[in-house]
Amino acid sequence: MRVNRPCGGRSCPRASSGAVRTRCDHTAQGDLPVNDAQPGRAERTRGRRPGPFTLLVLPGLTAAMGFAGFLAVTGGLSSAWPQSADARSPAAGGSAADRVHESYVPWLREAAKACTLVKPSVLAAQVDRHSGWDADTATLSGGAGIAGFTDAQWRIWGKDEDGNGRSSPRDPVDAIMALGRMDCALAEEVTELRTRGTVTGDLVDLTLAAHAVGTRSVAAAGRVPAKARTYLAEVKALSAQYETFDREESADSGGRAASAVLAPPVTTLVISSPFGSREHPLTGVTKLHTGVDFAAPQGAPVSAARQGRVVFAGMTRAYGNRVVIDHGTIGGRRLETTYSHLSSLRTSAGQTVEAGTVVGFVGSTGLSTGPHLHFEVITDGRYTDPQPWLALNR
């Protein structure tokens, strides 16, 4: 017996003889499917089978997307460094230095050779501060490449250092070497400012401040400007994690203790104020006293403590008449001495002097409470206690 159900206002099309008649595609809601199956056989409904895309392509895409998500979370998708068998990746609990591919460490050391103030650890810390050693992050932050160079900066400092035929801030080697040149130029500028008494403070700190806000801002502040202190603190904290990069020196090139290599600058070595923290007698500010004060009578001769070249001789606001002598490298460190508050000068910049050469006379010029010699020893741009360097028994 044939049963016809309404199908959208029409009769369902007739199936061929003996075939199972299925529900019309246009069955109205509430209509039941028609099934002429023979008695005793289970009712069957023909469904749409999955196609080749569902069976073959979709599982592959799902797996690929899952794997890509895993790489993105773990940091495996993007890397600014060569992907070789020996490429480094930061392990859990590893140091920041583990993020730096080993092939770039020699370039950090090479870049630092441009001057004595800038160390490989400082350059590495600056790169970390700019980009976290990730060129993609650096690009998003505004500057190009791992060191964040602007186009204007790159025109001044950029060079093709690795000989690949192009100069680019996105080339890590080019960027590292350019950063070293830029920092060393800034170090020269702030050294000149401090030599003239325009600014005070540690030369490395002043150099980093100049990198952050410019030399003019440092000169205007007379010290590390407030707006550069955050950058300075972050770079100095990071540099401690890269100190292993500084340890390439030969056994006899560094770390040697002072060994009384300087002759006394005045005949009577009576120390009226030692090196170290103190309250300034005129300003009342407590800070580092960067040298030692030798009590001496007005007009007493002041002599060079060692052979060297006079790099500054002139009047400054704080130090009064001041002489700075560069003695070159001793024990792997650059050594300078300074002589301040002189009543008058007996030398000029560019002159070569020997130990014992009179360079001026004791006075009380500048910020001073009475006649004395303020004597400083500077190693690699940092103030150090002069007493271990002086041959006090001579």
Side-chain angles (χ1 to χ4, degrees):
M1 169 180 170
R2 298 183 182 276
V3 179
N4 289 325
R5 296 285 189 187
C7 188
R10 307 185 308 273
S11 295
C12 289
R14 177 175 299 188
S16 59
S17 177
V20 178
R21 183 180 301 169
T22 59
R23 183 178 62 178
C24 176
D25 287 342
H26 302 286
T27 303
Q29 185 176 6
D31 289 346
L32 298 176
V34 177
N35 195 331
D36 287 343
Q38 297 177 2
R41 294 184 63 180
E43 179 178 344
R44 293 179 298 173
T45 302
R46 182 182 300 172
R48 184 177 181 182
R49 297 183 179 180
F53 179 88
T54 304
L55 294 174
L56 301 176
V57 179
L58 188 58
L61 286 175
T62 303
M65 291 176 65
F67 184 66
F70 170 78
L71 289 178
V73 171
T74 59
L77 268 181
S78 97
S79 173
W81 312 113
Q83 297 301 307
S84 59
D86 63 346
R88 296 187 180 186
S89 58
S95 68
D98 292 334
R99 286 200 295 270
V100 184
H101 191 272
E102 60 188 14
S103 65
Y104 297 113
V105 177
W107 289 104
L108 286 165
R109 290 173 175 155
E110 184 65 24
K113 290 179 181 178
C115 58
T116 57
L117 278 179
V118 178
K119 301 295 184 184
S121 58
V122 173
L123 295 175
Q126 287 179 280
V127 171
D128 196 340
R129 165 63 172 71
H130 279 297
S131 66
W133 289 98
D134 186 338
D136 294 334
T137 300
T139 300
L140 293 175
S141 67
I146 58 172
F149 278 100
T150 64
D151 290 341
Q153 289 173 330
W154 193 254
R155 283 192 291 271
I156 299 172
W157 308 111
K159 290 183 181 178
D160 176 17
E161 295 289 349
D162 51 8
N164 64 359
R166 63 187 182 91
S167 167
S168 172
R170 293 178 176 81
D171 183 324
V173 170
D174 291 352
I176 289 169
M177 295 298 291
L179 180 61
R181 281 191 296 275
M182 180 179 180
D183 279 357
C184 285
L186 293 172
E188 289 184 7
E189 292 176 3
V190 298
T191 298
E192 179 69 15
L193 289 173
R194 196 179 76 172
T195 296
R196 294 181 177 277
T198 306
V199 300
T200 60
D202 181 87
L203 282 177
V204 174
D205 292 356
L206 293 169
T207 299
L208 291 173
H211 181 99
V213 299
T215 307
R216 289 184 179 179
S217 295
V218 175
R223 58 182 60 84
V224 173
K227 58 185 177 180
R229 290 173 188 165
T230 298
Y231 176 83
L232 175 60
E234 291 174 352
V235 170
K236 292 184 75 172
L238 287 168
S239 67
Q241 303 179 48
Y242 293 103
E243 287 181 347
T244 55
F245 295 168
D246 299 338
R247 299 171 190 165
E248 191 193 31
E249 296 88 355
S250 58
D252 62 347
S253 65
R256 188 178 300 173
S259 56
V261 298
L262 300 177
V266 288
T267 55
T268 303
L269 295 179
V270 177
I271 297 177
S272 58
S273 183
F275 176 88
S277 180
R278 71 163 190 180
E279 181 179 302
H280 195 282
L282 291 178
T283 65
V285 176
T286 299
K287 64 177 184 177
L288 175 67
H289 184 226
T290 55
V292 294
D293 290 346
F294 293 118
Q298 179 82 15
V302 175
S303 303
R306 188 180 176 90
Q307 186 275 337
R309 184 175 64 88
V310 177
V311 294
F312 178 80
M315 174 62 73
T316 68
R317 186 183 67 85
Y319 292 113
N321 282 318
R322 176 175 169 88
V323 173
V324 180
I325 302 176
D326 184 351
H327 303 287
T329 301
I330 298 175
R333 289 179 283 182
R334 182 186 177 191
L335 179 66
E336 295 174 290
T337 55
T338 75
Y339 314 77
S340 298
H341 304 302
L342 305 177
S343 60
S344 61
L345 304 173
R346 199 172 174 178
T347 189
S348 57
Q351 180 181 351
T352 298
V353 295
E354 301 295 329
T357 300
V358 175
V359 296
F361 301 93
V362 171
S364 186
T365 56
L367 295 179
S368 172
T369 58
H372 72 286
L373 171 66
H374 177 75
F375 177 71
E376 297 170 336
V377 172
I378 303 172
T379 59
D380 287 343
R382 292 180 169 86
Y383 296 108
T384 188
D385 187 354
Q387 292 191 67
W389 292 87
L390 287 167
L392 299 178
N393 294 326
R394 292 185 182 179

